[in-house]
Amino acid sequence: MEVDLILLNRDLSLPREDVWRGIQIQDEVSLRIHRVVGTLRPEDANRYETIARARNQGKSLGTARWVMFLDDDVVLGPGCVARLVYGLGRKTSFAALGADSAGEMFKEWENWDYPRHVGMAATLFRRERLEGLTFRWEPGKCECRCCCDDLREAGFGIGYLGEAQAWHRPGPT
């Protein structure tokens, strides 16, 4: 299975060692890595605008049926990408599935298939669903939440896959 992995970076530095190791341990998939730098522009209202622009740039890269967005501070667990591919293959009405890298679902008050918010830090999309999607933000909503709302309004599902593990590991600020 070929997957275009869009690695979203804050700058042109090499990927962190732990992030790179997480990418390298993915089995059962062939990853084609594309790096996109989300550079903050003076006219950007906030970081969400920067990230949305980078995601829109990244979604057009590659040709694989599956497109995985990975933030530069997220470490993938073994087999994470393959699990997402198999999971999304089973959920034919879904446009995307994410690994819960921020631990949102550990609160256990939402359904894994239909949480209000799915973080895009480690999320796999069907390419054909990305073509009709424009990442955006609006006041009070990050680009992730807008993406969820837009996909659901178009009749597609988006959720988390519990068995796909990834961890958000921000560095020192």
Side-chain angles (χ1 to χ4, degrees):
M1 292 175 287
E2 290 187 347
V3 176
D4 285 313
L5 186 131
I6 312 303
L7 182 58
L8 295 173
N9 296 281
R10 290 172 179 83
D11 56 38
L12 289 172
S13 63
L14 293 174
R16 287 182 5 192
E17 186 178 322
D18 55 347
V19 172
W20 185 242
R21 194 172 334 111
I23 292 169
Q24 290 178 315
I25 63 170
Q26 298 307 301
D27 56 3
E28 299 183 51
V29 293
S30 174
L31 297 177
R32 292 185 289 190
I33 300 168
H34 309 273
R35 293 184 67 199
V36 175
V37 176
T39 304
L40 182 65
R41 295 180 181 167
E43 67 271 17
D44 287 351
N46 55 42
R47 184 83 180 132
Y48 297 144
E49 187 168 352
T50 306
I51 295 168
R53 183 177 52 256
R55 291 192 194 289
N56 285 320
Q57 179 186 348
K59 74 177 192 169
S60 65
L61 299 175
T63 59
R65 177 180 180 197
W66 309 106
V67 179
M68 175 86 182
F69 283 101
L70 182 66
D71 288 359
D72 64 357
D73 59 359
V74 173
V75 178
L76 297 173
C80 177
V81 178
R83 287 184 177 99
L84 289 168
V85 169
Y86 291 130
L88 196 51
R90 289 189 308 268
K91 295 178 180 290
T92 57
S93 65
F94 275 55
L97 279 176
D100 183 16
S101 62
E104 292 181 35
M105 297 308 296
F106 290 109
K107 300 170 191 134
E108 298 183 4
W109 57 47
E110 292 192 75
N111 182 304
W112 283 82
D113 283 346
Y114 303 102
R116 290 182 62 212
H117 177 272
V118 175
M120 300 287 124
T123 303
L124 181 83
F125 285 82
R126 296 176 194 279
R127 180 171 298 280
E128 69 267 18
R129 300 297 174 241
L130 272 177
E131 291 171 359
L133 178 69
T134 299
F135 289 97
R136 62 184 183 81
W137 70 278
E138 60 185 58
K141 286 187 183 179
C142 65
E143 88 287 354
C144 305
R145 179 64 191 274
C146 288
C147 175
C148 294
D149 293 348
D150 293 347
L151 287 174
R152 290 176 180 141
E153 187 173 309
F156 302 111
I158 180 169
Y160 286 119
L161 185 69
E163 58 266 22
Q165 294 186 325
W167 300 273
H168 183 225
R169 301 280 192 241
T173 55

